[in-house]
Amino acid sequence: MADLKVKIGSLVLKNPVMVASGTFGYGEEYSPYIDLNILGAIITKGISLHPIDGNPPPRIWETPSGMLNSIGLQNVGAKAFIKEKLSYLKSFDTKIIVNIFGTTVKEYAKVAERLFATQGVDAIELNISCPNVKKGGMIFGIDPKSTKKVVSAVRKVCGLPLIAKLSPNVTDITEFARIAEGEGADAISLINTLLGLAVDVETRKPRLATITGGLSGPAIKPIALRMIWQVAKAVKVPIIGMGGICSTEDALEFILAGATAIAVGTANFFNPNTASEIIKGINSYMTEKGIGDIKELIGGMYA
Amino acid sequence: MADLKVKIGSLVLKNPVMVASGTFGYGEEYSPYIDLNILGAIITKGISLHPIDGNPPPRIWETPSGMLNSIGLQNVGAKAFIKEKLSYLKSFDTKIIVNIFGTTVKEYAKVAERLFATQGVDAIELNISCPNVKKGGMIFGIDPKSTKKVVSAVRKVCGLPLIAKLSPNVTDITEFARIAEGEGADAISLINTLLGLAVDVETRKPRLATITGGLSGPAIKPIALRMIWQVAKAVKVPIIGMGGICSTEDALEFILAGATAIAVGTANFFNPNTASEIIKGINSYMTEKGIGDIKELIGGMYA
Amino acid sequence: MDSKQFISTIKTHTEVSPDYFLLSMELPSEVKRPKPGQFFMIKVGRNNDPLLRRPLSIHRLISADTVQILYRVRGKGTRVLSKRVLGERLDILGPLGKGFEIPSQINEAILVAGGVGIAPLFPLAEELKRAGKSIKLFIGGKNREDILCEDDFRSLGLEIYISTEDGSYGKGGLVTDILEDYIQTPDSRLQTQMYACGPKLMLKVVSEIARFYSLPCYVSLEERMACGIGACLGCAVKTRVQSSELRVKGKNSRLRTPDSRLYRLVCKDGPVFNAEEIDWDG
Amino acid sequence: MDSKQFISTIKTHTEVSPDYFLLSMELPSEVKRPKPGQFFMIKVGRNNDPLLRRPLSIHRLISADTVQILYRVRGKGTRVLSKRVLGERLDILGPLGKGFEIPSQINEAILVAGGVGIAPLFPLAEELKRAGKSIKLFIGGKNREDILCEDDFRSLGLEIYISTEDGSYGKGGLVTDILEDYIQTPDSRLQTQMYACGPKLMLKVVSEIARFYSLPCYVSLEERMACGIGACLGCAVKTRVQSSELRVKGKNSRLRTPDSRLYRLVCKDGPVFNAEEIDWDG
Ligand SMILES: Cc1cc2nc3c(=O)[nH]c(=O)nc-3n(C[C@H](O)[C@H](O)[C@H](O)COP(=O)(O)OP(=O)(O)OC[C@H]3O[C@@H](n4cnc5c(N)ncnc54)[C@H](O)[C@@H]3O)c2cc1C
Ligand SMILES: Cc1cc2nc3c(=O)[nH]c(=O)nc-3n(C[C@H](O)[C@H](O)[C@H](O)COP(=O)(O)OP(=O)(O)OC[C@H]3O[C@@H](n4cnc5c(N)ncnc54)[C@H](O)[C@@H]3O)c2cc1C
Ligand SMILES: Cc1cc2nc3c(=O)[nH]c(=O)nc-3n(C[C@H](O)[C@H](O)[C@H](O)COP(=O)(O)O)c2cc1C
Ligand SMILES: Cc1cc2nc3c(=O)[nH]c(=O)nc-3n(C[C@H](O)[C@H](O)[C@H](O)COP(=O)(O)O)c2cc1C
Ligand code: FES
Ligand code: FES
């Protein structure tokens, strides 16, 4: 067996394969289909201080090799998450990364603080890139000053490994990665969804009640890969790559482009076994090529 | 027959269906497959003052519902274009929009001037958004100041309808649209390709010799539609919409989101008849819905 | 959760009416027998386009190891499915969702189907029959070709009322009209449970009728789904009861308890809901 | 241009060796009879994934209205094609490209095939035969299963030399080794034209051999294609002759005439090129 261990800040993962926030619920939904113990980490659905209803339906539309969503960060809130969801998740042999979100810098800091005080949270992923909420989310991720503020505020109150999740809806992703690194983020996650639109030509209405939504899935993979490659050259902290990963080959592309770990997102919906297939697949690839340690592959693209 | 006429600046098109620059050669390549006379306009492959070799191969890679290209604006140069290509195109009953490009503001102005002095050019599309050349292209389209300079310089020397073609690789597309409008562009084309990457995990090399390339095709349609919708609210000049259009439904989505005309790009490669199908399809849709004039549909999304 | 991901081989696949297909497929023994109203998430194609699975109801368990799906070609996904042939293998998740319940106290069931909404009502009728309930079935469609499975239901021996919008079969008009005509006859109202499946607009009217005549009514809803298992939160439907409760408690919806949810999930909390729960304008 | 977009029905489709498929399909009468070395752009699937057509060579005209394609499953596109069944219809552009030329002065043709590179050489052999030329065929592959069509070529009565890398069939080693062994025999060099199709590395070595022994050589190249008709400029291949000419004329490549192109298009200027034209390291 090849050595698949990677480090995200001080956090050691037994393998670099995670599941992305919002695409794996709180883990339990997928437990009938995949053994949660095999995963490098589970990144949970974005959590805010208080419960959020989310956006009105329709919230989903399929596009060519992709999907638009406008869930709007519906979640049970920090309290219920800790009580009900986290206690379930803790029973598995995997790391728990909690994706958090607020409408103000203060709220971000509060929920981070709260989770830092909680047993069983292994790292925090800071979602400053959700395009589906009016306040907060992406607003923080497409303005350098806000990015700086929120990362810095959370860093101050939270001793856990801190991952900043960036928005791809920007001209220069490296600018934001550098800021996050500068403010003390231990890692960078990218990419979140791209802002998109679809129209029903029969009703003349947008396909989503919120008009626009976030585009994810294989369609965005080339954009995600490009951004990972750019960011890998710009920062020293590890990158968690995501955006359309469906197969071992996809995962390896991300790692070769510079990702230390990867997360399976939309693919969970149509193939709950994706992460498991990828873990096996990376192992076979490495065995076949005689590569002993996954670190030899990270950023290993010849360019 | 419904009235499909639309205006781009002073230019009247018999229908809003064009073919996008770089995806239809100089027209002649497609003449065995589609009657060029039915098209609203043909936008020719980007032309520079002098011939350009383009980038080394491989230049193309297919991605899920999309493709990456790094042609690098290979073209025969203004002189040969006018002598050989334009004279052929002029024989058809369609409008000819010439897509131009330079490595400096001066070069942009020179080629625009040259074409303005040439019989048979109906409009100029200013490509400030090609991601596949080191100098020029996208550099001009992702920096507000450069956009301003180049549109203004070309506007001064060129009395033809002027269309600015914007890059989607920016945080706020409306900023660039407003600048182009402010400098006198008669219309806005969007979107050009999104910067992407793909990696061959067997050879560890990027799939394209230039490492990154431009992503086009159905995969990017939701992003294109979103940008058209945003720009339609921000400017008064007409928009030419493109990005993954393959069918009548796709074309209608763009028009409802705010495009006055649309261009078929990558779809030409796999279905040379796309533009023809769309012209017929828009007609049937309008007849079915009892819509007499296409202008009733432009920006007609209920949002 | 008793749902599984499994591979099933297509046994028969026929177009039973223009654009309506009946598909029989293997139900491996390790998969739980589905209940009426439950559904499968089916990967219709082999590639990334279409990307997501499509939800389709269980139509009939024709033997211990064979299950049927009845579907209508609506868009890309169902079109791709309709091209899959005998012997091909489908990747499926299921059975999923909460099915129809049969309250023990009822003695009459009124089933209302619009178009392909008939699909999940057949196994329900079978179960109601087994439970000894009297069953009335109302089927509506645009035209004759939308009226499906009539013979199958007849062989169960239930009363059938049919309407078509163009009058080409049964009574002319909407199914909700013939339904209301029936319900107005007084003695039919006692110990009755209504069940409806069809287009949202029809379900809304059926719900109003049920409410007006104070009849309990289950509706099977549709919403766009990505995961089918409660993970993506994509298939939200607005609930009425919750939402009014909340408004009383306080305007700041963000201070509510997790239980008082404004939205429910069609895939997990449904697809069958009590009609009263649904905010039909939401 | 005599190329057309047309629909063709699959007549037979069989796996002739592991991962190698032979597909016969209708050639409508309005479509021009293809020449050896020409190709079709075939839409392999029905949806957006795979998106682009795939270039495949004409392998055999088995009757006036039937043409064959011989292909190897390499990735997604060819895999999807391999699932298409009898009676299904394919959307095709073609015939495309410049085929093989047969110089009238030659009396011997040496054909070199690597793997599925054999595909376009069969119709070429037929035409050479008709023109009365003597033909030697060299086929190479990784193993026995890569050696295709041997019997078909035998029935044309030509001399065949086979090599496999693992030695499981014919001579062990590379096809370029057995080729060079043959060419070294002096009397074989006169009035000979070489033709080669296969992996780029093989073509490069064949070209070097041809150059060393001063034999004219045609190679059929592959490059990723989007349009297949010269519109996208995607299938560029670097040329040698042009590029050296240019360096003499002036360093600024942008001042060159359009004729002195550094790149040629495989789809339009090829796929068959004179081996001398190609910059094998470009
Ligand atoms: C729990 C459940 C059970 C179902 N059971 C059945 C069944 O047994 N038989 C059957 O025929 N269908 C059933 N459906 C509906 C079926 O899932 C959809 O028709 C199918 O997913 C459409 O996919 P498509 O790709 O063909 O259409 P798409 O291309 O995705 O859509 C085509 C058009 O149909 C409309 N549309 C499609 N699906 C929906 C929807 N869910 N909500 C609103 N509008 C929609 C859209 O406006 C769209 O323009 C069920 C749905 C659910 C949620
Ligand atoms: C003019 C022409 C004629 C051809 N004729 C035949 C034929 O008769 N029979 C036949 O089997 N094949 C032929 N080919 C090759 C065939 O087109 C490719 O194998 C096919 O397009 C691969 O598509 P895919 O989707 O299966 O593979 P992809 O999924 O697109 O690629 C699979 C892998 O194969 C490699 N690859 C595939 N195609 C190429 C290429 N063109 N250049 C470099 N690397 C590549 C890539 O590295 C990739 O990782 C021809 C190609 C050309 C240009
Ligand atoms: C339905 C859905 C819900 C999501 N919810 C969240 C979320 O709560 N927080 C977050 O940071 N990202 C969220 N994302 C973004 C994903 O984690 C991921 O970054 C993105 O989808 C790209 O990866 P993919 O293409 O593999 O899905 C969500 C994505 C989807 C599709
Ligand atoms: C192969 C290729 C070449 C292109 N060349 C040009 C060009 O020369 N000038 C330009 O402005 N856009 C060029 N484009 C961009 C297209 O015109 C279009 O904006 C883009 O591809 C999005 O549309 P689509 O998804 O329908 O292809 C090119 C695109 C492709 C795929
Ligand atoms: S479909 Fe994902 S939660 Fe219901
Ligand atoms: S494939 Fe488009 S130019 Fe050759």
Side-chain angles (χ1 to χ4, degrees):
Chain A
M1 281 283 277
D3 184 359
L4 294 188
K5 273 198 300 297
V6 295
K7 271 181 77 175
I8 302 294
S10 60
L11 182 66
V12 178
L13 307 181
K14 64 180 159 203
N15 67 57
V17 182
M18 320 186 181
V19 284
S21 178
T23 66
F24 208 71
Y26 299 111
E28 55 192 340
E29 294 84 353
Y30 277 101
S31 61
Y33 309 105
I34 179 171
D35 178 2
L36 304 187
N37 296 301
I38 64 163
L39 299 171
I42 293 173
I43 312 182
T44 58
K45 172 72 189 164
I47 287 292
S48 50
L49 207 50
H50 303 294
I52 291 183
D53 286 328
N55 290 322
R59 291 177 173 185
I60 276 186
W61 180 252
E62 184 176 312
T63 66
S65 299
M67 64 176 275
L68 289 168
N69 88 78
S70 62
I71 309 301
L73 292 172
Q74 171 175 345
N75 79 90
V76 297
K79 198 171 137 191
F81 170 75
I82 293 168
K83 210 175 112 193
E84 298 157 26
K85 309 298 179 181
L86 190 59
S87 55
Y88 172 81
L89 280 172
K90 278 195 290 196
S91 65
F92 294 94
D93 177 26
T94 182
K95 301 295 175 185
I96 306 303
I97 301 179
V98 181
N99 180 280
I100 64 163
F101 148 83
T103 52
T104 60
V105 172
K106 247 196 205 138
E107 252 184 64
Y108 268 106
K110 264 202 195 149
V111 57
E113 213 174 345
R114 176 88 191 251
L115 287 162
F116 179 38
T118 306
Q119 273 281 316
V121 177
D122 296 300
I124 295 288
E125 186 182 53
L126 204 59
N127 176 6
I128 51 170
S129 42
C130 177
N132 293 322
V133 284
K134 287 213 186 77
K135 290 188 282 174
M138 203 174 91
I139 306 290
F140 289 97
I142 61 173
D143 169 46
K145 277 184 216 132
S146 310
T147 299
K148 196 175 157 94
K149 259 192 224 149
V150 69
V151 177
S152 147
V154 170
R155 179 73 293 177
K156 276 193 200 97
V157 298
C158 177
L160 291 168
L162 179 63
I163 305 158
K165 182 159 177 185
L166 303 185
S167 169
N169 299 289
V170 296
T171 308
D172 180 9
I173 189 84
T174 63
E175 180 185 4
F176 295 85
R178 278 201 208 92
I179 291 172
E181 182 182 44
E183 295 307 317
D186 299 297
I188 309 282
S189 268
L190 59 143
I191 59 176
N192 209 315
T193 54
L194 283 141
L195 199 61
L197 169 71
V199 188
D200 184 336
V201 305
E202 289 305 318
T203 63
R204 288 206 197 179
K205 286 198 285 195
R207 292 289 189 178
L208 301 177
T210 49
I211 308 180
T212 58
L215 181 65
S216 66
I220 67 169
K221 195 184 72 166
I223 302 169
L225 276 165
R226 181 258 299 180
M227 291 191 167
I228 277 143
W229 179 69
Q230 290 176 319
V231 170
K233 291 186 297 175
V235 300
K236 294 207 178 59
V237 292
I239 297 169
I240 304 171
M242 61 198 78
I245 297 177
C246 301
S247 66
T248 301
E249 205 185 314
D250 294 343
L252 289 166
E253 281 190 79
F254 278 76
I255 294 169
L256 288 167
T260 293
I262 61 100
V264 175
T266 300
N268 291 311
F269 300 151
F270 55 87
N271 180 12
N273 252 300
T274 309
S276 155
E277 287 169 15
I278 291 176
I279 296 165
K280 285 193 207 101
I282 292 180
N283 239 311
S284 323
Y285 174 89
M286 289 173 64
T287 309
E288 204 177 278
K289 304 257 183 273
I291 299 166
D293 188 336
I294 184 115
K295 287 175 214 72
E296 293 170 39
L297 289 174
I298 299 168
M301 179 175 86
Y302 302 135
Chain B
M1 281 284 277
D3 185 358
L4 294 187
K5 274 198 299 295
V6 295
K7 271 181 79 174
I8 301 294
S10 59
L11 182 66
V12 178
L13 307 181
K14 64 182 160 200
N15 68 56
V17 182
M18 320 186 181
V19 285
S21 179
T23 67
F24 206 72
Y26 299 112
E28 57 194 339
E29 293 85 353
Y30 277 101
S31 61
Y33 308 106
I34 180 171
D35 178 2
L36 304 187
N37 296 301
I38 65 162
L39 299 171
I42 292 173
I43 312 183
T44 57
K45 173 72 189 162
I47 287 293
S48 50
L49 208 51
H50 303 294
I52 290 182
D53 286 328
N55 290 323
R59 291 179 174 185
I60 278 186
W61 181 250
E62 186 176 311
T63 66
S65 298
M67 62 177 277
L68 288 168
N69 89 78
S70 62
I71 309 301
L73 293 171
Q74 170 174 347
N75 80 89
V76 298
K79 195 169 142 193
F81 170 75
I82 292 168
K83 210 173 114 192
E84 296 157 27
K85 309 297 179 180
L86 190 60
S87 55
Y88 171 81
L89 280 172
K90 277 196 290 196
S91 66
F92 294 95
D93 177 24
T94 183
K95 302 294 175 185
I96 307 303
I97 301 178
V98 182
N99 181 280
I100 64 163
F101 149 81
T103 51
T104 61
V105 172
K106 246 196 204 139
E107 249 184 67
Y108 268 105
K110 263 200 193 151
V111 57
E113 211 174 347
R114 177 88 190 251
L115 287 162
F116 178 39
T118 306
Q119 273 280 315
V121 178
D122 295 300
I124 295 289
E125 186 181 53
L126 205 57
N127 177 6
I128 50 171
S129 41
C130 177
N132 295 323
V133 283
K134 286 214 187 77
K135 289 189 281 177
M138 204 173 89
I139 306 290
F140 288 98
I142 61 173
D143 170 45
K145 278 185 214 134
S146 308
T147 300
K148 196 175 156 98
K149 261 192 221 150
V150 67
V151 177
S152 147
V154 170
R155 178 75 292 176
K156 277 198 196 95
V157 298
C158 175
L160 291 169
L162 180 62
I163 305 159
K165 183 160 179 182
L166 303 185
S167 170
N169 299 291
V170 296
T171 308
D172 179 7
I173 188 85
T174 64
E175 178 185 4
F176 294 86
R178 279 201 206 91
I179 291 172
E181 183 182 42
E183 294 308 317
D186 298 296
I188 309 282
S189 270
L190 59 144
I191 59 175
N192 210 317
T193 54
L194 283 140
L195 200 59
L197 169 70
V199 188
D200 184 335
V201 305
E202 289 305 317
T203 63
R204 289 207 196 179
K205 286 197 284 194
R207 291 291 190 179
L208 301 176
T210 50
I211 307 181
T212 58
L215 181 65
S216 66
I220 67 168
K221 196 184 71 163
I223 302 169
L225 276 165
R226 180 260 299 183
M227 291 194 166
I228 277 143
W229 178 70
Q230 291 176 319
V231 169
K233 292 186 298 176
V235 300
K236 294 208 177 58
V237 293
I239 297 169
I240 304 171
M242 63 198 80
I245 297 177
C246 301
S247 66
T248 300
E249 206 186 314
D250 293 343
L252 289 166
E253 282 189 79
F254 277 77
I255 294 170
L256 288 168
T260 294
I262 60 100
V264 175
T266 300
N268 291 311
F269 300 151
F270 54 87
N271 179 11
N273 252 299
T274 309
S276 156
E277 288 169 15
I278 291 176
I279 295 165
K280 286 193 207 102
I282 293 180
N283 240 310
S284 323
Y285 175 89
M286 290 175 64
T287 309
E288 204 177 278
K289 303 258 181 270
I291 299 165
D293 188 336
I294 184 116
K295 287 175 214 71
E296 293 170 39
L297 289 175
I298 299 167
M301 180 174 85
Y302 302 136
Chain C
M1 273 287 257
D2 290 310
S3 160
K4 276 211 156 49
Q5 179 175 8
F6 62 94
I7 299 292
S8 170
T9 306
I10 299 178
K11 290 180 154 188
T12 66
H13 199 177
T14 45
E15 189 163 5
V16 289
S17 187
D19 278 347
Y20 289 95
F21 288 79
L22 187 63
L23 183 153
S24 314
M25 57 188 189
E26 229 173 52
L27 192 63
S29 56
E30 70 275 16
V31 177
K32 214 189 149 198
R33 301 305 93 170
K35 291 201 312 182
Q38 286 194 303
F39 65 97
F40 289 134
M41 288 295 280
I42 304 185
K43 182 103 184 86
V44 294
R46 287 196 198 80
N47 300 299
N48 286 327
D49 185 38
L51 186 71
L52 301 172
R53 292 167 184 269
R54 294 296 189 268
L56 291 164
S57 301
I58 281 92
H59 173 52
R60 260 183 106 160
L61 264 171
I62 55 173
S63 72
D65 66 347
T66 309
V67 64
Q68 278 186 335
I69 299 294
L70 176 68
Y71 68 94
R72 180 176 181 184
V73 172
R74 209 152 160 182
K76 181 156 60 173
T78 44
R79 187 163 315 110
V80 167
L81 180 58
S82 75
K83 307 277 186 210
R84 305 298 298 267
V85 297
L86 216 89
E88 282 192 292
R89 291 145 63 89
L90 297 173
D91 178 341
I92 299 179
L93 285 193
L96 296 165
K98 300 206 167 109
F100 293 107
E101 273 172 39
I102 303 180
S104 55
Q105 75 278 11
I106 66 158
N107 48 35
E108 185 197 53
I110 295 179
L111 278 51
V112 192
V116 79
I118 196 80
L121 297 185
F122 189 79
L124 172 65
E126 285 184 314
E127 200 156 310
L128 285 163
K129 181 89 194 170
R130 273 194 293 274
K133 316 293 182 189
S134 139
I135 313 168
K136 316 278 178 311
L137 171 68
F138 295 82
I139 322 180
K142 288 222 163 53
N143 55 47
R144 191 189 185 107
E145 281 151 358
D146 288 333
I147 308 301
L148 300 170
C149 311
E150 191 189 337
D151 292 345
D152 296 330
F153 280 98
R154 287 216 188 280
S155 70
L156 289 183
L158 35 77
E159 269 175 56
I160 302 183
Y161 303 84
I162 292 172
S163 74
T164 53
E165 286 176 39
D166 69 355
S168 57
Y169 194 54
K171 203 154 174 237
L174 296 173
V175 67
T176 44
D177 298 337
I178 55 169
L179 172 68
E180 200 161 7
D181 289 349
Y182 171 80
I183 289 182
Q184 279 167 344
T185 23
D187 62 309
S188 62
R189 257 176 268 166
L190 292 160
Q191 309 287 36
T192 296
Q193 173 70 46
M194 289 178 62
Y195 297 91
C197 186
K200 194 157 182 187
L201 207 63
M202 178 202 101
L203 295 182
K204 185 183 169 178
V205 178
V206 171
S207 299
E208 283 160 2
I209 294 173
R211 167 174 272 219
F212 188 82
Y213 294 98
S214 302
L215 295 176
C217 179
Y218 286 122
V219 290
S220 179
L221 294 185
E222 283 188 17
E223 196 44 73
R224 308 234 121 234
M225 293 185 175
C227 71
I229 61 172
C232 74
L233 310 180
C235 61
V237 58
K238 205 166 174 183
T239 54
R240 187 158 58 172
V241 184
Q242 306 295 350
S243 133
S244 49
E245 256 176 26
L246 301 166
R247 263 177 226 136
V248 179
K249 281 192 191 159
K251 270 180 202 143
N252 188 345
S253 68
R254 306 176 67 256
L255 292 175
R256 278 182 273 123
T257 67
D259 269 9
S260 55
R261 288 171 302 160
L262 188 54
Y263 297 110
R264 303 228 152 192
L265 299 176
V266 170
C267 70
K268 206 174 132 185
D269 304 319
V272 178
F273 292 89
N274 192 322
E276 284 294 301
E277 283 181 272
I278 305 304
D279 177 352
W280 293 101
D281 308 311
Chain D
M1 274 287 258
D2 290 311
S3 159
K4 275 209 160 43
Q5 180 174 8
F6 63 94
I7 300 291
S8 171
T9 306
I10 300 178
K11 290 180 154 187
T12 65
H13 200 178
T14 44
E15 189 162 5
V16 290
S17 186
D19 278 348
Y20 289 94
F21 287 79
L22 187 63
L23 183 154
S24 315
M25 58 188 187
E26 228 173 52
L27 193 62
S29 55
E30 70 274 17
V31 177
K32 214 187 149 197
R33 301 304 91 170
K35 292 201 314 184
Q38 286 193 303
F39 67 96
F40 289 134
M41 287 294 279
I42 303 186
K43 182 98 183 90
V44 292
R46 288 195 197 81
N47 300 301
N48 287 327
D49 184 39
L51 188 72
L52 301 171
R53 293 168 184 269
R54 294 295 190 268
L56 291 164
S57 301
I58 282 90
H59 172 52
R60 258 182 106 160
L61 266 171
I62 56 173
S63 73
D65 67 347
T66 308
V67 63
Q68 277 186 337
I69 300 294
L70 176 69
Y71 67 95
R72 179 175 183 182
V73 171
R74 209 152 161 181
K76 181 155 62 174
T78 43
R79 186 162 316 110
V80 167
L81 180 58
S82 74
K83 307 278 185 206
R84 305 297 299 267
V85 297
L86 217 89
E88 282 194 292
R89 292 145 64 89
L90 296 173
D91 179 342
I92 298 178
L93 285 191
L96 295 165
K98 299 207 170 107
F100 292 108
E101 272 172 43
I102 302 180
S104 54
Q105 76 278 10
I106 67 157
N107 48 36
E108 185 196 53
I110 296 180
L111 278 49
V112 192
V116 77
I118 197 82
L121 297 186
F122 189 81
L124 172 66
E126 284 185 314
E127 199 156 309
L128 286 163
K129 182 91 195 170
R130 273 193 295 274
K133 317 292 182 188
S134 139
I135 312 169
K136 316 275 175 320
L137 172 67
F138 295 81
I139 322 181
K142 287 222 162 52
N143 55 46
R144 189 185 190 112
E145 280 151 1
D146 288 334
I147 307 301
L148 299 171
C149 311
E150 189 189 337
D151 291 346
D152 297 330
F153 279 99
R154 287 219 187 277
S155 70
L156 288 182
L158 34 78
E159 267 175 55
I160 302 183
Y161 303 83
I162 294 172
S163 72
T164 54
E165 287 175 40
D166 69 355
S168 57
Y169 195 55
K171 204 157 173 233
L174 296 173
V175 67
T176 43
D177 298 336
I178 54 169
L179 171 69
E180 200 162 6
D181 288 348
Y182 171 81
I183 290 182
Q184 279 167 342
T185 23
D187 61 309
S188 63
R189 257 178 267 168
L190 291 159
Q191 308 287 38
T192 297
Q193 173 71 45
M194 288 177 62
Y195 297 90
C197 186
K200 195 157 181 186
L201 206 64
M202 177 201 103
L203 295 182
K204 186 183 169 181
V205 178
V206 171
S207 298
E208 283 161 1
I209 295 173
R211 168 175 270 218
F212 188 83
Y213 293 98
S214 300
L215 294 177
C217 178
Y218 286 122
V219 290
S220 180
L221 293 187
E222 283 188 19
E223 197 41 74
R224 307 235 122 230
M225 292 186 175
C227 71
I229 62 172
C232 73
L233 311 180
C235 61
V237 57
K238 202 164 175 186
T239 55
R240 185 157 61 174
V241 183
Q242 307 293 350
S243 131
S244 50
E245 254 176 28
L246 301 166
R247 263 178 226 137
V248 179
K249 278 193 190 158
K251 270 179 203 145
N252 187 345
S253 67
R254 308 175 68 255
L255 291 175
R256 276 181 274 122
T257 66
D259 270 9
S260 54
R261 289 172 300 160
L262 187 54
Y263 297 110
R264 302 229 151 190
L265 300 176
V266 170
C267 70
K268 205 173 129 184
D269 304 320
V272 177
F273 292 89
N274 193 320
E276 282 295 301
E277 283 181 273
I278 306 304
D279 177 352
W280 293 101
D281 307 310

